[in-house]
Amino acid sequence: MSMVSSTFGLRPIECAQIKTVKVKDDLIGMKIKNAKHTDGRSFGKYRTIRFQIVDEKSEEFEALGASYRLTALFSNKSKVEAERWLKGARNFLNQLYAKNRDLKKLARKNRITLYSGRHQFSANAKQAGVPAIEIAAMMGHGSDETHVKSYGKRRVGSGRFTIQADPLDVERVEERMQVKQDNQFSQQLGR
């Protein structure tokens, strides 16, 4: 799961609902159902990320294979069952840290979680100089501020980053941010 999250920026529950689509001759797209779309924290129900498979030894190829295996694992489970499975994985990690003396000493921020890969995805994108609005679109955020405040720091990124945002998703994030800015301005004017 960590490889899929660090390569494609998926939330753990999103691994259950992905589809690959052909974007262009040399690009593959991954259509992802945004987990946060129902609470208004995303720009829409789905997002698409784009990438190339250069060779069968590439990180993207390996992660794509892992994503297929995760999708197969979750395919015959309901969302409730998938969430229960993820809760079990979280509990396992928590017990591991609670019972292992050496691991218990680690500061909470240095522990591996189900979101560690997603944090690394953000850090890698930042280190590679990907614009904030594109990172927001790839991560399914409705604002370009979320990943800045809450996700991996640029200094821990690898700088290797080959994933691309879908231009339509970038536009949707920009539109959502503009509406939010307009609403805040209207509230300041007392309307």
Side-chain angles (χ1 to χ4, degrees), residues 54-115:
V54 180
D55 63 53
E56 292 182 4
K57 295 182 180 175
S58 71
E59 181 180 317
E60 293 79 13
F61 185 80
E62 288 185 35
L64 185 60
S67 72
Y68 286 144
R69 290 188 293 280
L70 283 169
T71 302
L73 172 71
F74 288 119
S75 66
N76 57 359
K77 293 183 180 352
S78 69
K79 185 175 180 185
V80 171
E81 290 173 314
E83 287 172 348
R84 192 176 306 133
W85 187 90
L86 290 168
K87 184 178 180 180
R90 256 184 234 102
N91 287 340
F92 170 77
L93 286 172
N94 289 337
Q95 288 176 14
L96 190 64
Y97 285 111
K99 294 183 181 191
N100 184 301
R101 206 176 325 169
D102 293 331
L103 293 177
K104 194 184 275 191
K105 295 174 187 174
L106 284 175
R108 238 176 147 60
K109 68 179 183 172
N110 294 331
R111 294 179 179 182
I112 295 172
T113 70
L114 296 182
Y115 271 74

Side-chain angles (χ1 to χ4, degrees), residues 13 15 17 20 59 63 76 87-88 97 101 111-112 116 123 125 127-128 133 135 150 183 186:
I13 194 67
C15 292
Q17 301 169 342
T20 52
E59 181 180 317
N76 57 359
K87 184 178 180 180
Y97 285 111
R101 206 176 325 169
R111 294 179 179 182
I112 295 172
S116 294
Q127 182 66 22
I133 194 84
I135 297 172
S150 305
N183 289 342
S186 294

Side-chain angles (χ1 to χ4, degrees), residues 102-168:
D102 293 331
L103 293 177
K104 194 184 275 191
K105 295 174 187 174
L106 284 175
R108 238 176 147 60
K109 68 179 183 172
N110 294 331
R111 294 179 179 182
I112 295 172
T113 70
L114 296 182
Y115 271 74
S116 294
R118 192 164 156 83
H119 283 270
Q120 190 62 52
F121 175 88
S122 177
N124 292 347
K126 291 173 188 176
Q127 182 66 22
V130 177
I133 194 84
E134 291 180 24
I135 297 172
M138 290 184 284
M139 294 184 76
H141 294 156
S143 165
D144 64 357
E145 297 173 359
T146 307
H147 76 276
V148 173
K149 293 178 185 176
S150 305
Y151 282 90
K153 305 297 180 219
R154 179 182 178 147
R155 63 179 155 65
V156 297
S158 70
R160 183 191 178 287
F161 197 80
T162 59
I163 308 301
Q164 302 169 15
D166 186 299
L168 295 174

